[in-house]
Amino acid sequence: MAEIEIKTAPADFRFPTTNQTRHCFTRYIEYHRCLAAKGEESTECEKFARYYRSLCPGEWIEKWNEQRENGNFPGPL
């Protein structure tokens, strides 16, 4: 059986405390900005997707996705 390697987002000097809420939100925004800049097919954006998925609760992601679809997402995309 192949060994599964689990990784999370690397340490980021912008978020030195243990509360990772802002880190999660920033990585989510970085991912969607990357997609907007490089296109949906870009593999360069996948690292940001891995980062926010490992940091953010699923409920938040679902809510933010819904907000983006409805045009009322609170962040700068």
Side-chain angles (χ1 to χ4, degrees):
M1 177 179 258
E3 189 173 320
I4 298 173
E5 184 177 347
I6 299 175
K7 292 183 179 181
T8 189
D12 191 323
F13 71 91
R14 297 174 292 179
F15 312 103
T17 62
T18 56
N19 183 345
Q20 294 295 301
T21 303
R22 190 169 192 83
H23 191 181
C24 153
F25 189 69
T26 300
R27 294 300 189 173
Y28 181 85
I29 289 172
E30 286 175 338
Y31 171 68
H32 289 285
R33 282 184 175 168
C34 181
L35 288 181
K38 299 182 189 277
E40 295 284 332
E41 302 299 320
S42 176
T43 57
E44 295 176 44
C45 302
E46 282 305 307
K47 67 179 179 183
F48 296 117
R50 283 193 314 273
Y51 297 165
Y52 87 75
R53 289 177 186 141
S54 72
L55 292 165
C56 303
E59 295 83 16
W60 293 6
I61 296 169
E62 290 173 18
K63 181 178 180 178
W64 293 338
N65 288 339
E66 184 178 307
Q67 288 174 332
R68 279 187 320 100
E69 290 169 7
N70 295 332
N72 60 353
F73 182 72
L77 292 178

